[in-house]
Amino acid sequence: MGGQPSHVISPMPIGKTVIITGGNTGIGYEVAKGVAMLGAKVILAVRTEERGKSALAKMKADYEERKKGGDCYDIVVRDELDVQYHICDLTSLKSTMQFISWFKSTGLQLSVLVCNACTYSLSEVLTEDQWESTYQVNYLAHFLMISEFLPAVCASDVECRIVIISSQNHMQAEFDPEYAASSRMKKFDGFNSYANCKLFQIQLMYSLDKVLEHHPHIDVLSVDRGKLDAMAFPNSDASSQGFSCQMSCLKCCGGMRDDRPGADTVIFAALDPALQGLSRGYFLRPRDKARFPSRQARNKELQDFLWKCTIENLSNYLSGEALKILAEKS
């Protein structure tokens, strides 16, 4: 078919720095590859060395294949992609902080942060920090990363976008204040945990937008991932079985897309110049208008409750500089 690609095809300034959590697989991998081929300097935040090395090798091979095939009209042709990985295990706040410290030490200016990594478990699994794993990986660790990057980003005049990958499953969540405050449920349910975290992510977008009113060169957007991929928590066999069942149901009802269309929506939100200044947008498709998330997602009282709880939960990790920026929330 002769249709135009749905993602942004304009080359980026060489070296523009993009961080993607969970960029070694699924939608994250396709986003990382796409923005790298557009000229960005891409950093994959991955859980293990093995995952990072494997993703880099595959990405470079994909790039060489594109160049050899002559299909280069929408990519930047150069000797090799500017891609690297660094360990960031979001199930460990210590590892997350080590990644944050490493990036700060590089002196690089962050242009785009894509909060993509996620997990899913049918049974309650606690991290080394004693938070429920879905809550920590999908929400809490990303809140910490965003918060610690904000001081340098706010102090710069360089445009920056934060893209939080959520899911339409947030529509099915019933906001759980106990889970928001402690990551515990009276009766744990894997899907409710996942749906609540996707709701929290959109609520985070709205709260961050209130902070960023004072910093108009920074936009925060949310994107529907379009597919639940690579989310089964690896320490639980039951989780993998349940996840396969969930995937089968989604496929039958048409509720999932493959990785590349989902990645196109993320790339659109991350790079399209037409979205500059359009903070607080929730997108389901590339080049589509922003949509309204659920009423709960837009509920300021719930947003404020979650915000307060999260800052308290991260009190041992958030720096004074980060807390100063977060306190700008109106």
Side-chain angles (χ1 to χ4, degrees):
M1 302 292 289
Q4 294 181 342
S6 54
H7 62 68
V8 180
I9 62 174
S10 300
M12 300 171 61
I14 298 298
K16 188 172 184 178
T17 303
V18 178
I19 295 176
I20 303 170
T21 65
N24 59 290
T25 189
I27 290 174
Y29 173 83
E30 294 296 334
V31 172
K33 181 173 69 174
V35 297
M37 288 188 181
L38 287 171
K41 179 182 186 65
V42 176
I43 299 172
L44 310 179
V46 299
R47 184 179 293 180
T48 66
E49 291 273 352
E50 181 182 5
R51 294 182 185 195
K53 289 179 180 178
S54 176
L56 255 60
K58 184 176 186 301
M59 199 174 296
K60 291 177 179 180
D62 288 349
Y63 184 52
E64 291 304 316
E65 184 177 348
R66 283 285 301 273
K67 290 194 294 184
K68 288 180 181 178
D71 182 15
C72 302
Y73 75 98
D74 61 346
I75 65 174
V76 174
V77 178
R78 48 184 170 168
D79 291 340
E80 60 181 17
L81 295 176
D82 188 358
V83 184
Q84 61 180 293
Y85 70 88
H86 199 82
I87 302 302
C88 181
D89 183 354
L90 298 177
T91 66
S92 164
L93 295 180
K94 178 181 177 181
S95 175
T96 304
M97 285 300 296
Q98 288 173 340
F99 175 82
I100 291 166
S101 297
W102 166 79
F103 181 74
K104 288 180 179 179
S105 73
T106 66
L108 294 169
Q109 180 65 53
L110 181 63
S111 297
V112 179
L113 172 62
V114 178
C115 299
N116 163 74
C118 63
T119 192
Y120 175 96
S121 179
L122 287 185
S123 58
E124 186 178 60
V125 179
L126 300 184
T127 67
E128 65 181 44
D129 303 291
Q130 297 306 299
W131 299 109
E132 190 275 320
S133 61
T134 306
Y135 173 87
Q136 179 165 327
V137 173
N138 296 9
Y139 173 68
L140 189 68
H142 280 118
F143 186 108
L144 177 60
M145 185 179 293
I146 292 169
S147 300
E148 288 298 316
F149 286 157
L150 277 181
V153 173
C154 289
S156 168
D157 292 329
V158 177
E159 292 176 8
C160 179
R161 285 191 197 173
I162 300 166
V163 180
I164 302 172
I165 304 182
S166 183
S167 165
Q168 290 186 77
N169 283 318
H170 84 275
M171 298 278 192
Q172 301 178 53
E174 183 63 38
F175 186 88
D176 186 331
E178 185 173 344
Y179 187 64
S182 68
S183 85
R184 300 294 196 277
M185 292 181 167
K186 291 181 180 178
K187 184 177 181 181
F188 184 81
D189 179 274
F191 180 79
N192 286 338
S193 168
Y194 176 79
N196 262 271
C197 286
K198 293 301 163 184
L199 174 62
F200 296 167
Q201 289 177 320
I202 299 176
Q203 291 173 327
L204 171 59
M205 174 188 72
Y206 280 102
S207 293
L208 285 171
D209 182 66
K210 292 298 183 182
V211 173
L212 299 177
E213 286 180 353
H214 307 282
H215 307 280
H217 63 290
I218 310 169
D219 294 320
V220 56
L221 305 170
S222 185
V223 170
D224 169 49
R225 68 184 299 109
K227 170 186 172 183
L228 307 181
D229 65 326
M231 294 183 298
F233 198 75
N235 296 330
S236 170
D237 293 335
S239 173
S240 297
Q241 295 168 5
F243 179 68
S244 296
C245 179
Q246 293 272 1
M247 289 288 286
S248 296
C249 291
L250 284 167
K251 187 173 182 179
C252 287
C253 69
M256 56 180 277
R257 308 193 297 270
D258 64 34
D259 293 324
R260 282 178 293 182
D264 283 346
T265 311
V266 179
I267 294 173
F268 162 69
L271 304 182
D272 196 309
L275 299 183
Q276 183 180 341
L278 185 65
S279 195
R280 215 174 45 176
Y282 172 60
F283 295 93
L284 302 182
R285 299 289 186 274
R287 302 202 180 282
D288 195 4
K289 64 181 180 180
R291 304 287 179 157
F292 282 113
S294 70
R295 289 182 179 272
Q296 290 186 105
R298 292 176 278 131
N299 185 304
K300 189 176 185 303
E301 183 177 345
L302 296 181
Q303 293 166 11
D304 291 346
F305 176 82
L306 177 66
W307 181 264
K308 180 181 177 181
C309 291
T310 308
I311 290 177
E312 290 176 354
N313 290 343
L314 290 172
S315 61
N316 292 331
Y317 292 91
L318 290 169
S319 66
E321 287 184 326
L323 287 170
K324 184 177 179 180
I325 296 293
L326 298 180
E328 295 179 17
K329 179 176 177 291
S330 57

